[in-house]
Amino acid sequence: MYSLKGVKALYSLDHLVLGAGLLTLGDAIFQVITFLILLILLRKFAWDKLLGMMKQREDHIAGEIQSAERSNEEARKLAEEQKALLKEARLEAQALVEGAKKIAEDQKADIVRAAQEESARLKESARKEIVQEKEQAVVALREQVASLSVLIASKVIEKELNTQDQQKLIDDYVKQVGEGR
């Protein structure tokens, strides 16, 4: 599969690759010196700038943290104020409801008292009216009894009656009085 030429090329490549891993003392010293020069150049030209940028970034992050903490504290205070205001509003609402209930109870008591007074006044007025009408009825009845008594007496005097006639006369008189009402 592989040709002889191709195998030799592979072998020589392996040797080159394997040989690259071996360092000589001169190569190692050269690499150390190059690394130290690179460090010195970095220190001289870039280290301060790099540290400055890192310090600036650190200050920025610290400022953001402090700002977030202040915002968090302000939010907490605001939440506490809101809770206090809500509690105060609930207390005020409860006081308003209690006041309204008291006013309603007072109005109810006033209405009941006024109704009772009106009822008592109407009862007293009706009682007086009944007494007055009763007295008028008694007076009218006395007048009728007196006039009938006079009438009966005059009829009795006109003729002397037996007990049957007297009973009939009384019954007639009672009928007349009943019709007169």
Side-chain angles (χ1 to χ4, degrees):
M1 299 203 174
Y2 294 109
S3 67
L4 190 55
K5 221 179 188 188
V7 172
K8 285 185 181 178
L10 275 176
Y11 178 71
S12 62
L13 280 176
D14 284 342
H15 177 64
L16 287 175
V17 171
L18 291 176
L22 301 174
L23 289 177
T24 61
L25 183 61
D27 288 341
I29 292 173
F30 176 75
Q31 285 183 356
V32 168
I33 292 172
T34 305
F35 181 72
L36 290 175
I37 292 172
L38 181 62
L39 279 179
I40 291 170
L41 288 174
L42 275 173
R43 172 128 176 114
K44 182 172 181 161
F45 294 110
W47 191 255
D48 291 335
K49 289 180 183 178
L50 184 62
L51 286 179
M53 286 184 356
M54 290 176 66
K55 177 67 175 160
Q56 184 181 9
R57 181 71 180 150
E58 180 183 342
D59 292 343
H60 177 70
I61 291 173
E64 290 294 320
I65 289 172
Q66 287 177 352
S67 176
E69 287 175 351
R70 280 193 306 271
S71 295
N72 190 18
E73 183 64 25
E74 288 175 6
R76 186 188 59 78
K77 286 180 182 178
L78 186 60
E80 287 177 4
E81 289 175 6
Q82 291 297 325
K83 285 180 184 178
L85 289 173
L86 183 61
K87 184 177 181 181
E88 184 178 327
R90 284 183 181 157
L91 290 175
E92 287 178 9
Q94 187 177 7
L96 287 174
V97 168
E98 292 298 323
K101 283 182 183 178
K102 184 176 180 340
I103 289 171
E105 289 295 324
D106 291 344
Q107 288 178 345
K108 176 184 168 186
D110 289 344
I111 291 170
V112 168
R113 185 173 43 256
Q116 288 174 343
E117 289 172 359
E118 181 67 16
S119 173
R121 187 188 65 75
L122 289 174
K123 282 180 185 178
E124 183 62 24
S125 174
R127 188 189 63 75
K128 286 180 181 178
E129 189 176 326
I130 289 170
V131 167
Q132 186 179 13
E133 287 183 12
K134 180 181 170 187
E135 288 175 359
Q136 288 175 355
V138 168
V139 168
L141 186 60
R142 283 184 184 161
E143 289 175 2
Q144 284 183 357
V145 168
S147 67
L148 286 176
S149 295
V150 169
L151 182 63
I152 291 175
S154 66
K155 286 187 179 184
V156 169
I157 292 175
E158 286 179 10
K159 75 174 188 178
E160 202 164 303
L161 301 172
N162 60 19
T163 44
Q164 277 184 336
D165 290 336
Q166 281 182 351
Q167 187 62 41
K168 185 177 177 204
L169 189 61
I170 291 173
D171 289 338
D172 289 343
Y173 172 70
V174 170
K175 281 183 189 176
Q176 286 178 355
V177 170
E179 290 173 2
R181 282 187 159 183

